[in-house]
Amino acid sequence: MPAAVLDAFRAAANDWVSLEELQAAASRKIAEHTRTEAGLVTSGSAAALTLGAAAIMAGHNLGRMERLPVTDEFPNEFLVSRDQRSGYDHAVRAAGARLVDVGFNEVVSGAGVRRTEPWEYEAAINSRSAGILFVHSRDNAHLLKAVCRIASAHQLPVLVDAAGELPPRRNLYEIAACGADLVAFSGGKAIRGPQSTGILCGRQQWISSAALQMLDMDDHYQLWAPPANFIQREGFTGHPRHGIGRALKVSKEEIVALLTALDLFASGAYDVELEDHRRRLGVISTLLDNSSYRCSLIESIEEGRWPILEVIVDGRCRETAFRICQELRQGSTPIYLGHGKLDEGILVINPLCLKDDDARVIGERLLEF
Ligand SMILES: *Cc1c(COP(=O)(O)O)cnc(C)c1O
């Protein structure tokens, strides 16, 4: 977290505030940055997915809010492309949603290169369908647009997992602009807010439902006066009790810190650090110059995204790569390298959280192997 974010966190601890009012203010700021109707600060992108699914299934129905995660009696199915399934979709299932896979994971066959197509979503829609879960990646915005058109024709909301899709900064608003109803971002990744924060943004009606299912509901219906542009009290015949998201609460300090970080991120304030990231990776690759490793600096094609360094171990040996990765974690200064390419014998170094001295330490440790 940048110093300004920590200062904001600390300052927020000094004042009492109504969380409903604070989230309503957060909603306005998030809406501005994302060009959506409303937003909510959540406890991570995973919580945003749980709340988004809960909002879509329960809406403003008090009985449904109360019953979640038991969803047998109302539409509870979310269509998801088979090649977008991941461990993170547990967060959607946690709300009581059932995932229905569409398409095929033909990437594994080598021959078939067709990804899931829009018609396959449409063919799977039925009366049990509650919405569509879509995991955004750099190359699937055109599919998202087509899926949103189909979903809208069937009055199904689309919930997008875009947790790690920032930068580029424009994704703050371009993903929602594809027609998505709700978009989830991590606050603790490149936005550099508290690691435990996230953002849910999109249509007011779902954000309002998500907020109701997360906020503390210890109040009396007669006294309850939520900010009208955030939650419409008139729609309710009674006061909801604590919802499924009550276990996912965020503190006022986290909210204020996240919003501060969001302003910084959206203004491009972090871009000046790209050169530092590049320089630190350069320190590592220079140290490894005459070794049996081969280094390659991978520049991102996304604006504002930092490069990464791939360190290829001798002979691209998988076992060697695993062993180095493990031993580095167990050293007196534990080092956690990216482990997504170990099968190819490649160690990955993401510079985002490195300090100058770290780069030298990593390079020297690697040389010990
Ligand atoms: C990181 C990530 C998440 C979870 O985000 P948190 O903010 O850590 O909860 C969800 N989905 C994807 C695709 C992610 O990369």
Side-chain angles (χ1 to χ4, degrees):
M1 285 187 272
V5 174
L6 286 166
D7 289 346
F9 189 100
R10 196 180 169 81
N14 290 323
D15 293 306
W16 189 91
V17 66
S18 146
L19 280 179
E20 252 174 7
E21 299 280 350
L22 185 58
Q23 283 282 20
S27 173
R28 291 192 291 276
K29 184 178 275 295
I30 293 168
E32 257 171 54
H33 283 303
T34 59
R35 306 183 193 171
T36 58
E37 293 171 10
L40 185 70
V41 180
T42 61
S43 55
S45 187
L49 293 172
T50 305
L51 287 165
I56 287 168
M57 288 186 291
H60 285 137
N61 182 313
L62 290 172
R64 288 186 184 186
M65 283 185 191
E66 184 52 39
R67 278 199 285 280
L68 291 187
V70 176
T71 55
D72 318 327
E73 287 160 21
F74 42 91
N76 64 352
E77 291 181 359
F78 280 70
L79 309 181
V80 59
S81 170
R82 193 168 260 116
D83 59 13
Q84 292 182 7
R85 293 293 312 263
S86 88
Y88 287 119
D89 62 43
H90 203 145
V92 174
R93 289 181 278 132
R98 291 195 45 221
L99 294 182
V100 175
D101 293 357
V102 300
F104 286 95
N105 196 10
E106 286 191 333
V107 178
V108 298
S109 75
V113 291
R114 283 196 295 147
R115 310 303 291 265
T116 303
E117 296 179 348
W119 66 266
E120 293 174 291
Y121 285 88
E122 187 151 42
I125 294 172
N126 63 39
S127 63
R128 306 288 310 153
S129 308
I132 292 177
L133 170 65
F134 194 94
V135 182
H136 190 271
S137 59
R138 190 161 47 73
D139 54 3
N140 68 9
H142 65 284
L143 176 62
L144 175 58
K145 282 182 198 154
V147 168
C148 289
R149 273 197 298 275
I150 289 167
S152 152
H154 293 267
Q155 279 152 23
L156 285 183
V158 177
L159 170 63
V160 179
D161 179 354
E165 297 300 287
L166 303 170
R169 287 201 297 280
R170 58 184 158 73
N171 274 355
L172 276 175
Y173 48 86
E174 279 193 356
I175 296 173
C178 290
D181 296 85
L182 287 172
V183 184
F185 294 109
S186 275
K189 291 179 177 168
I191 292 177
R192 295 173 63 187
Q195 200 162 32
S196 53
T197 57
I199 291 172
L200 183 66
C201 63
R203 301 218 189 281
Q204 176 65 54
Q205 68 184 114
W206 309 124
I207 295 295
S208 157
S209 170
L212 279 165
Q213 296 185 75
M214 176 172 85
L215 288 166
D216 192 282
M217 285 290 131
D218 276 338
D219 201 353
H220 283 86
Y221 185 48
Q222 296 90 315
L223 302 177
W224 186 43
N229 55 3
F230 190 51
I231 291 167
Q232 267 107 46
R233 186 186 182 280
E234 308 82 67
F236 291 92
T237 51
H239 194 57
R241 294 190 189 276
H242 300 313
I244 191 162
R246 180 61 182 78
L248 307 173
K249 81 174 176 187
V250 285
S251 70
K252 63 186 192 299
E253 295 84 1
E254 289 172 311
I255 295 171
V256 169
L258 183 270
L259 295 177
T260 308
L262 179 60
D263 277 343
L264 287 172
F265 173 80
S267 73
Y270 300 157
D271 287 0
V272 295
E273 293 175 25
L274 287 173
E275 241 354 276
D276 294 330
H277 295 323
R278 209 165 275 124
R279 183 170 45 75
R280 287 177 191 133
L281 295 180
V283 167
I284 299 173
S285 58
T286 305
L287 275 166
L288 301 184
D289 251 353
N290 295 312
S291 69
S292 62
Y293 298 108
R294 276 191 299 116
C295 291
S296 104
L297 185 77
I298 313 289
E299 289 284 355
S300 173
I301 59 166
E302 296 292 3
E303 191 190 6
R305 194 161 194 108
W306 54 92
I308 55 161
L309 187 70
E310 291 192 354
V311 179
I312 304 160
V313 308
D314 204 10
R316 292 185 177 264
C317 174
R318 177 183 185 277
E319 283 68 36
T320 308
F322 264 91
R323 186 173 56 81
I324 294 174
C325 201
Q326 181 175 39
E327 290 191 22
L328 285 179
R329 289 185 186 193
Q330 292 164 348
S332 61
T333 302
I335 297 170
Y336 285 75
L337 296 185
H339 48 98
K341 287 193 160 186
L342 292 180
D343 278 334
E344 300 167 56
I346 298 174
L347 307 162
V348 178
I349 302 179
N350 181 331
L352 195 56
C353 299
L354 290 187
K355 296 177 195 145
D356 273 336
D357 217 35
D358 295 338
R360 187 184 47 78
V361 171
I362 294 170
E364 286 172 358
R365 279 288 279 139
L366 279 169
L367 280 177
E368 289 174 20
F369 293 89

